[in-house]
């Protein structure tokens, strides 16, 4: 469950004890007018190696935690570039502790922080970045659904850890971007086996709690396909039919200050089907083509 110190800011209601203390400058500066438009993006990881390399899968010591392929890394780099070129200034990146998500985040962060002269590059190789633009941390609430439906090859022994050591995962992030102070809102991985419906509740709470913890920042959550699907159906009564690698959904709300207290509007879903890599439509309509 969520750390008890993390509050969830109800729409239109002043902030609680779990919200970052004080008013971020961008919120305070705009509260007299239209308010700060907070954006939360939920990104699926890139192409995973076990989907294309069956030889790797047959010999892997950790088949439930595959790395990205080279194509997957390029997908992640391009996803970061797309956000950057769209003009969204991402300040905070929260990441599922699975290897493929950390590698995806690393590539996306490079694109978000890269010097303008290197933004046109086809990959992150050799680029120069400004790490002060983004702070990143591992978030257990963004983890894969912990059941045999989502994890096709579960671990063979409880003595084998589900994920790599936290320090090893953090070392994969671009130098200078790790927020060593930020703690995960969920203190540990969900317990196995996790009901799929319970994971949907977890994802929804994590997205909202992240926004409330950092109300003056635009946030990128790097997670799994189910998490991206939930991020769409959580805000609209639609069926999600597919989530591509590096598909990305978009939430937006207005955050401001009223009578010295932080206040937030309802989140709106700004995601376009197909273009976003998320395939969804009205519950009563046929699958869009």
């Amino acid at each position: 469950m969520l750390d008890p110190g993390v509050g969830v800011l109800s729409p239109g209601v002043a902030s609680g004890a779990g919200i970052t203390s004080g008013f971020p400058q961008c919120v305070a500066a705009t509260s007299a007018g239209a308010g700060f438009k907070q954006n939360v993006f939920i990104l699926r990881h890139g192409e995973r190696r076990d989907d294309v390399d069956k030889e790797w899968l047959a010999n892997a010591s950790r088949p439930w935690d595959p790395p990205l392929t080279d194509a997957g890394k390029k997908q992640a780099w391009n996803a970061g570039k797309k956000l950057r070129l769209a003009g969204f200034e991402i300040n905070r990146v929260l990441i599922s502790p699975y290897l493929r998500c950390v590698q995806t985040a690393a590539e996306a962060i490079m694109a978000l922080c890269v010097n303008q002269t290197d933004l046109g590059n086809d990959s992150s190789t050799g680029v120069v970045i400004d790490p002060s633009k983004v702070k990143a941390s591992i978030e257990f609430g963004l983890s894969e659904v912990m059941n045999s439906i989502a994890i096709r090859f579960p671990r063979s022994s409880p003595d084998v850890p589900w994920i790599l050591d936290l320090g090893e995962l953090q070392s994969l992030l671009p130098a200078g971007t790790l927020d060593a102070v930020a703690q995960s809102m969920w203190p540990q991985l969900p317990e196995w086996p996790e009901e799929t419906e319970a994971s949907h509740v977890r994802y929804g709470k994590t997205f909202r709690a992240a926004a409330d913890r950092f109300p003056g920042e635009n946030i990128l959550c790097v997670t799994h396909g189910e998490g991206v699907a939930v991020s769409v159906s959580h805000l609209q009564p639609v069926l999600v039919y597919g989530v591509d690698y590096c598909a990305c959904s978009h939430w937006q709300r207005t955050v401001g200050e009223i009578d010295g207290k932080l206040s937030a509007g309802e989140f709106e879903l700004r995601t376009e089907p197909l273009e976003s890599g998320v395939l969804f439509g009205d519950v009563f309509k046929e699958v869009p083509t």
Side-chain angles (χ1 to χ4, degrees):
M1 62 185 298
L2 277 172
D3 186 299
V6 177
V8 177
L9 183 62
S10 300
V13 179
S15 62
I19 308 304
T20 305
S21 60
F23 300 118
Q25 290 185 354
C26 55
V27 174
T30 57
S31 58
F36 168 65
K37 291 292 187 181
Q38 184 186 32
N39 298 282
V40 179
F41 296 93
I42 299 95
L43 176 71
R44 188 190 180 192
H45 58 78
E47 183 182 68
R48 46 191 287 174
R49 187 170 178 181
D50 59 327
D51 269 0
V52 297
D53 187 349
K54 302 308 177 185
E55 183 176 346
W56 177 89
L57 184 60
N59 298 287
S61 59
R62 301 169 51 81
W64 60 86
D65 192 21
L68 294 183
T69 62
D70 289 341
K73 291 180 180 179
K74 187 171 183 178
Q75 290 167 345
W77 164 256
N78 287 332
K81 282 177 59 176
K82 185 176 181 179
L83 290 174
R84 173 83 173 271
L85 292 171
F88 293 106
E89 183 179 346
I90 305 297
N91 318 105
R92 178 76 47 178
V93 180
L94 303 178
I95 313 157
S96 162
Y98 281 84
L99 177 59
R100 56 193 179 275
C101 290
V102 178
Q103 290 179 325
T104 297
E107 292 291 327
I109 290 170
M110 292 287 282
L112 294 171
C113 297
V114 70
N115 288 350
Q116 191 68 32
T117 54
D118 290 336
L119 189 56
N121 289 19
D122 291 334
S123 74
S124 64
T125 303
V127 301
V128 178
I129 69 168
D130 176 3
S132 67
K133 291 185 176 182
V134 168
K135 290 303 174 189
S137 59
I138 302 297
E139 174 50 58
F140 292 114
L142 298 175
S143 299
E144 177 67 279
V145 182
M146 295 294 286
N147 63 36
S148 56
I149 300 173
I151 299 179
R152 293 167 286 181
F153 303 97
R155 60 182 184 177
S156 57
S157 168
D159 297 327
V160 180
W162 283 108
I163 59 174
L164 297 176
D165 177 76
L166 186 59
E168 186 173 353
L169 292 173
Q170 292 171 336
S171 71
L172 298 176
L173 298 174
T177 62
L178 173 67
D179 186 340
V181 177
Q183 295 186 353
S184 175
M185 294 174 289
W186 291 75
Q188 59 190 21
L189 285 175
E191 293 186 4
W192 178 281
E194 178 185 32
E195 294 290 336
T196 300
E197 292 76 10
S199 75
H200 292 181
V201 174
R202 165 170 61 85
Y203 284 130
K205 286 184 175 181
T206 301
F207 301 146
R208 289 185 178 274
D212 291 347
R213 176 178 274 192
F214 307 106
E217 299 182 5
N218 291 322
I219 302 168
L220 174 64
C221 296
V222 183
T223 185
H224 304 264
E226 194 76 12
V228 176
V230 169
S231 73
V232 172
S233 61
H234 188 77
L235 295 186
Q236 287 189 5
V238 297
L239 285 178
V240 179
Y241 306 106
V243 179
D244 294 338
Y245 285 129
C246 282
C248 190
S249 67
H250 179 193
W251 292 13
Q252 187 180 81
R253 68 176 179 179
T254 301
V255 180
E257 181 184 346
I258 299 178
D259 297 328
K261 295 182 179 180
L262 208 58
S263 178
E266 294 276 4
F267 271 114
E268 295 181 5
L269 184 68
R270 311 284 291 182
T271 307
E272 294 293 334
L274 300 180
E275 179 184 342
S276 63
V278 187
L279 183 64
F280 65 93
D282 190 281
V283 171
F284 302 106
K285 293 181 180 179
E286 295 183 358
V287 179
T289 58

